[in-house]
Structures are given as structure tokens and as C-alpha cells.
Amino acid sequence: MRMTYEGWDPVLAKIISCHDNVMKWKLCHREELSTWVKNNVVVLGDACHPTLPYQAQGAAMAVEDGLVLGLLLGRLRSTDAIPEQEKKAHINSVLKIFEGLRKKRTTTNVKGAIANRVMFHMHDGPEQEARDSELAEVDWVKPCRWGWADPGYQKKMLGFDSVSDTNNAFNRWVTKNGTANQQESVNGEARL
Ligand SMILES: Cc1cc2nc3c(=O)[nH]c(=O)nc-3n(C[C@H](O)[C@H](O)[C@H](O)COP(=O)(O)OP(=O)(O)OC[C@H]3O[C@@H](n4cnc5c(N)ncnc54)[C@H](O)[C@@H]3O)c2cc1C
């Protein structure tokens, strides 16, 4: 590593000289898992959708996962439409709502980061030149083949309302599975 950076800024050489050893830190992603839920156990964040850091959304997705999961479990706990003694038996079903809401969106994010890797890491040449001239035309209004610069993709990823998406899904579920006092759904949503 010291040899690689020979001749660079002396500050960098000084920093590198302080290390006794270095390790390569691989950046990893993975194919979409078939499920995130087993019985009453669920995985979230990088444990189920690790992504390359080329879209700056991995932690954002993990936080969104937490929001959606917390909201769903909170709605299950507070609903009057399910008798208290039956709630535990519905946890798996609610975890599956979570998976249904999150898997597609996080997979889009993982794939977007892979696409950005291609875009960011092009070697000099005709492909890079074509990319540069396309990006020079970006006006954040017309569509662009690069998600990073495509307003539709940006809106889909960054303008998404996870809270109403989750509340709508829970409302549909409780309407189908609840036994009493459907009014709670409305009140429950209003409280959030
Ligand atoms: C270089 C780089 C840049 C990034 N930039 C961004 C960015 O700009 N924006 C963004 O949104 N995301 C970014 N990310 C992604 C982001 O860091 C991750 O998506 C996020 O940290 C995932 O959070 P997590 O809680 O799921 O997992 P982690 O942050 O990995 O947390 C898991 C925790 O569990 C602990 N742990 C593991 N095994 C055990 C065990 N057996 N017992 C107890 N504890 C255990 C680990 O030590 C760790 O603290 C970047 C990632 C990288 C690598």
C-alpha cells in the first residue's frame, strides 16, 4: 500500500505510515432473498438487503424498515379489531405484510446501486464519453437512462411515503382479518 501511494501528498504518506497492517474491506451486495420471515422472527436492514454504497441509501432503507416494522407492530398492538388474546397468533401475518411492503422497494435500491457502480466506474473510452454527454444534457425534468439522473426514479425512491403505504396495508389487512370495531383503523391512523 505504501508503494502504491509513493509520490502522493506527504500528509497521505504520513497517515499510511501510521498503520502496522491493512486489510481489504470488500463491498458486498446479494441477490434478493426468497423470504425475510420465519415464524415470528424477521430480518431487516443489511441482514436481508445489503447493497453497494453507490446510491447512498443502504442505511436509509434500514431506517425505513424499522419505521415500517414498528408501525405495523404498533398498529397490531393498539387495534381493537383483533381480540387481545389473538394478537400473538397474528404476528407472523403482520411480519409478512412487512416483507411484502419492503422487499420490492429494497431490491430496486440494491439494483440501482449496482447500476450506479457501472456508471461511476467506467474507464475512459467511447462508453464513458457517451455517458458524459448524456449527463451533460440532464435537466432533472426529462427522463434519463441513468437512474441517478432520472426524475421519475428519484421521485420513486426519495419521494415515497412509507407511512401511508404502511397504514394502507395494515388497514386492508385488519379489514380482512379483524373481528370488531373497524373504526379503530381510522383512529389508529389518525394517531400516527
Ligand atoms: C462505504 C460505505 C458507504 C455507505 N454510505 C451510505 C450512505 O451515504 N447512505 C446510506 O444510507 N447508507 C450508506 N451505506 C450503507 C449503510 O452503512 C448500511 O446500509 C447500514 O449501516 C445498515 O445498517 P444495519 O443496521 O442493517 O446493519 P449494520 O450497520 O451492519 O449493523 C449491524 C450491527 O450488528 C453488529 N453485529 C453483527 N453480528 C453480531 C452478533 N453476532 N452479535 C451482536 N452484534 C452483532 C455489527 O457489529 C453491527 O454493529 C454505506 C455503506 C458503506 C460500506
Side-chain angles (χ1 to χ4, degrees):
M1 189 176 173
R2 284 177 187 146
M3 278 162 62
T4 303
Y5 289 97
E6 239 168 40
W8 285 55
D9 190 307
V11 175
L12 186 60
K14 174 78 179 159
I15 293 169
I16 292 171
S17 75
C18 297
H19 295 293
D20 296 328
N21 58 61
V22 288
M23 288 187 294
K24 272 192 177 176
W25 180 20
K26 279 193 181 178
L27 295 172
C28 297
H29 65 100
R30 64 160 302 139
E31 294 291 314
E32 183 178 353
L33 293 168
S34 57
T35 184
W36 299 351
V37 178
K38 189 171 180 188
N39 302 322
N40 285 355
V41 176
V42 64
V43 278
L44 66 155
D46 274 17
C48 51
H49 49 73
T51 174
L52 297 173
Y54 303 129
Q55 198 157 264
Q57 285 294 292
M61 290 293 138
V63 169
E64 249 182 36
D65 285 352
L67 164 86
V68 171
L69 186 58
L71 195 47
L72 287 169
L73 291 172
R75 292 286 308 269
L76 175 63
R77 187 176 60 181
S78 65
T79 185
D80 297 332
I82 307 278
E84 284 306 315
Q85 67 278 13
E86 288 176 23
K87 286 186 177 175
K88 211 169 162 186
H90 285 292
I91 289 175
N92 174 263
S93 177
V94 167
L95 295 183
K96 284 187 175 146
I97 306 175
F98 166 76
E99 179 182 295
L101 292 174
R102 300 300 301 158
K103 218 144 83 62
K104 196 166 163 225
R105 178 162 164 76
T106 52
T107 298
T108 303
N109 184 61
V110 171
K111 287 184 175 163
I114 294 170
N116 282 345
R117 173 177 63 177
V118 175
M119 186 184 104
F120 294 162
H121 290 172
M122 267 172 200
H123 290 287
D124 289 350
E127 213 187 355
Q128 161 264 322
E129 283 167 18
R131 175 203 65 189
D132 290 356
S133 38
E134 278 176 78
L135 292 182
E137 298 293 312
V138 166
D139 61 1
W140 306 105
V141 177
K142 62 176 180 296
C144 177
R145 124 179 122 98
W146 305 106
W148 174 82
D150 181 69
Y153 182 78
Q154 291 284 344
K155 192 160 181 249
K156 184 167 105 174
M157 295 314 288
L158 302 175
F160 186 71
D161 185 347
S162 287
V163 172
S164 59
D165 186 47
T166 307
N167 275 322
N168 290 340
F170 187 84
N171 291 345
R172 282 193 300 274
W173 178 83
V174 86
T175 302
K176 204 167 148 207
N177 294 281
T179 51
N181 196 6
Q182 297 298 309
Q183 185 61 30
E184 186 283 334
S185 305
V186 178
N187 293 339
E189 191 170 344
R191 274 203 299 275
L192 293 160

Short mmCIF file of all heavy atoms in Angstrom, two decimals, residues 25 27 44-47 51-53 55-62, ligand 1:
data_model
loop_
_atom_site.label_atom_id
_atom_site.label_comp_id
_atom_site.label_asym_id
_atom_site.label_seq_id
_atom_site.Cartn_x
_atom_site.Cartn_y
_atom_site.Cartn_z
N TRP A 25 -11.34 -4.30 2.55
CA TRP A 25 -12.72 -4.35 3.02
C TRP A 25 -13.62 -4.48 1.79
O TRP A 25 -13.79 -3.54 1.03
CB TRP A 25 -13.04 -3.07 3.79
CG TRP A 25 -14.43 -2.98 4.33
CD1 TRP A 25 -15.31 -4.00 4.55
CD2 TRP A 25 -15.10 -1.79 4.72
NE1 TRP A 25 -16.48 -3.51 5.06
CE2 TRP A 25 -16.38 -2.15 5.17
CE3 TRP A 25 -14.75 -0.43 4.73
CZ2 TRP A 25 -17.30 -1.23 5.62
CZ3 TRP A 25 -15.68 0.49 5.17
CH2 TRP A 25 -16.94 0.08 5.62
N LEU A 27 -16.76 -4.65 -0.54
CA LEU A 27 -18.11 -4.12 -0.60
C LEU A 27 -19.01 -5.22 -1.15
O LEU A 27 -18.73 -5.77 -2.22
CB LEU A 27 -18.16 -2.89 -1.51
CG LEU A 27 -17.35 -1.69 -1.02
CD1 LEU A 27 -17.30 -0.61 -2.08
CD2 LEU A 27 -17.92 -1.14 0.28
N LEU A 44 -34.02 -7.52 8.98
CA LEU A 44 -34.18 -6.23 8.29
C LEU A 44 -32.81 -5.59 8.08
O LEU A 44 -31.80 -6.10 8.55
CB LEU A 44 -35.13 -5.29 9.05
CG LEU A 44 -34.76 -4.77 10.43
CD1 LEU A 44 -35.50 -3.45 10.71
CD2 LEU A 44 -35.13 -5.78 11.51
N GLY A 45 -32.80 -4.50 7.34
CA GLY A 45 -31.55 -3.79 7.08
C GLY A 45 -30.60 -4.62 6.23
O GLY A 45 -31.01 -5.44 5.40
N ASP A 46 -29.31 -4.37 6.44
CA ASP A 46 -28.30 -5.07 5.63
C ASP A 46 -28.36 -6.58 5.79
O ASP A 46 -27.85 -7.32 4.95
CB ASP A 46 -26.89 -4.59 6.01
CG ASP A 46 -26.48 -3.33 5.26
OD1 ASP A 46 -27.37 -2.65 4.71
OD2 ASP A 46 -25.28 -3.02 5.23
N ALA A 47 -28.93 -7.06 6.88
CA ALA A 47 -29.02 -8.51 7.09
C ALA A 47 -29.81 -9.17 5.96
O ALA A 47 -29.57 -10.33 5.62
CB ALA A 47 -29.68 -8.81 8.43
N THR A 51 -26.36 -3.68 0.28
CA THR A 51 -26.26 -3.03 -1.02
C THR A 51 -24.92 -2.33 -1.18
O THR A 51 -24.31 -1.94 -0.19
CB THR A 51 -27.45 -2.04 -1.19
OG1 THR A 51 -27.28 -1.31 -2.39
CG2 THR A 51 -27.54 -1.05 -0.06
N LEU A 52 -24.50 -2.18 -2.39
CA LEU A 52 -23.27 -1.42 -2.65
C LEU A 52 -23.54 0.05 -2.32
O LEU A 52 -24.66 0.52 -2.47
CB LEU A 52 -22.88 -1.57 -4.13
CG LEU A 52 -22.53 -2.99 -4.56
CD1 LEU A 52 -22.33 -3.05 -6.07
CD2 LEU A 52 -21.28 -3.49 -3.85
N PRO A 53 -22.49 0.76 -1.88
CA PRO A 53 -22.73 2.14 -1.41
C PRO A 53 -22.74 3.17 -2.54
O PRO A 53 -22.19 4.25 -2.39
CB PRO A 53 -21.58 2.38 -0.44
CG PRO A 53 -20.47 1.55 -0.98
CD PRO A 53 -21.10 0.35 -1.64
N GLN A 55 -25.55 4.34 -4.08
CA GLN A 55 -26.79 5.08 -4.16
C GLN A 55 -27.07 5.79 -2.83
O GLN A 55 -28.08 6.45 -2.67
CB GLN A 55 -27.94 4.15 -4.56
CG GLN A 55 -29.16 4.90 -5.09
CD GLN A 55 -30.03 4.03 -5.97
OE1 GLN A 55 -29.92 4.04 -7.19
NE2 GLN A 55 -30.90 3.27 -5.36
N ALA A 56 -26.15 5.58 -1.87
CA ALA A 56 -26.25 6.23 -0.55
C ALA A 56 -27.62 6.01 0.10
O ALA A 56 -28.20 6.92 0.68
CB ALA A 56 -25.93 7.72 -0.67
N GLN A 57 -28.14 4.78 0.00
CA GLN A 57 -29.48 4.52 0.51
C GLN A 57 -29.56 3.31 1.43
O GLN A 57 -30.65 2.96 1.89
CB GLN A 57 -30.45 4.32 -0.67
CG GLN A 57 -30.83 5.62 -1.37
CD GLN A 57 -31.63 6.53 -0.46
OE1 GLN A 57 -32.76 6.23 -0.12
NE2 GLN A 57 -31.04 7.63 -0.05
N GLY A 58 -28.43 2.63 1.68
CA GLY A 58 -28.49 1.41 2.50
C GLY A 58 -29.01 1.68 3.89
O GLY A 58 -29.93 1.00 4.38
N ALA A 59 -28.44 2.67 4.55
CA ALA A 59 -28.89 3.00 5.91
C ALA A 59 -30.30 3.59 5.87
O ALA A 59 -31.12 3.31 6.76
CB ALA A 59 -27.92 3.97 6.57
N ALA A 60 -30.57 4.36 4.82
CA ALA A 60 -31.92 4.94 4.69
C ALA A 60 -32.96 3.82 4.62
O ALA A 60 -34.01 3.89 5.25
CB ALA A 60 -31.99 5.83 3.45
N MET A 61 -32.63 2.77 3.86
CA MET A 61 -33.57 1.64 3.73
C MET A 61 -33.71 0.89 5.06
O MET A 61 -34.79 0.43 5.41
CB MET A 61 -33.09 0.67 2.63
CG MET A 61 -33.21 1.23 1.24
SD MET A 61 -34.95 1.47 0.74
CE MET A 61 -34.83 3.04 -0.07
N ALA A 62 -32.60 0.78 5.79
CA ALA A 62 -32.65 0.09 7.09
C ALA A 62 -33.54 0.87 8.06
O ALA A 62 -34.36 0.29 8.79
CB ALA A 62 -31.24 -0.07 7.66
C1 LIG B 1 -18.52 2.67 2.31
C2 LIG B 1 -19.99 2.72 2.64
C3 LIG B 1 -20.70 3.91 2.47
C4 LIG B 1 -22.06 3.97 2.75
N1 LIG B 1 -22.73 5.17 2.58
C5 LIG B 1 -24.05 5.25 2.86
C6 LIG B 1 -24.75 6.50 2.70
O1 LIG B 1 -24.18 7.51 2.32
N2 LIG B 1 -26.09 6.50 2.98
C7 LIG B 1 -26.74 5.40 3.42
O2 LIG B 1 -27.95 5.48 3.66
N3 LIG B 1 -26.09 4.21 3.58
C8 LIG B 1 -24.76 4.11 3.32
N4 LIG B 1 -24.11 2.91 3.49
C9 LIG B 1 -24.86 1.71 3.91
C10 LIG B 1 -25.08 1.66 5.41
O3 LIG B 1 -23.86 1.77 6.10
C11 LIG B 1 -25.75 0.32 5.76
O4 LIG B 1 -26.82 0.05 4.87
C12 LIG B 1 -26.29 0.34 7.19
O5 LIG B 1 -25.23 0.53 8.10
C13 LIG B 1 -27.04 -0.95 7.52
O6 LIG B 1 -27.47 -0.88 8.83
P1 LIG B 1 -27.84 -2.18 9.61
O7 LIG B 1 -28.24 -1.73 10.99
O8 LIG B 1 -28.79 -3.03 8.84
O9 LIG B 1 -26.50 -3.06 9.68
P2 LIG B 1 -25.11 -2.68 10.36
O10 LIG B 1 -24.88 -1.19 10.34
O11 LIG B 1 -24.10 -3.56 9.71
O12 LIG B 1 -25.32 -3.07 11.87
C14 LIG B 1 -25.23 -4.41 12.29
C15 LIG B 1 -24.60 -4.39 13.68
O13 LIG B 1 -24.71 -5.70 14.24
C16 LIG B 1 -23.49 -5.99 14.86
N5 LIG B 1 -23.37 -7.47 14.92
C17 LIG B 1 -23.05 -8.34 13.95
N6 LIG B 1 -23.07 -9.60 14.39
C18 LIG B 1 -23.42 -9.53 15.70
C19 LIG B 1 -23.62 -10.51 16.70
N7 LIG B 1 -23.48 -11.82 16.46
N8 LIG B 1 -23.96 -10.10 17.93
C20 LIG B 1 -24.14 -8.77 18.20
N9 LIG B 1 -23.98 -7.79 17.27
C21 LIG B 1 -23.62 -8.18 16.03
C22 LIG B 1 -22.41 -5.35 13.99
O14 LIG B 1 -21.22 -5.14 14.70
C23 LIG B 1 -23.11 -4.03 13.64
O15 LIG B 1 -22.87 -3.04 14.60
C24 LIG B 1 -22.74 2.82 3.22
C25 LIG B 1 -22.03 1.62 3.39
C26 LIG B 1 -20.68 1.57 3.09
C27 LIG B 1 -19.95 0.26 3.28
#
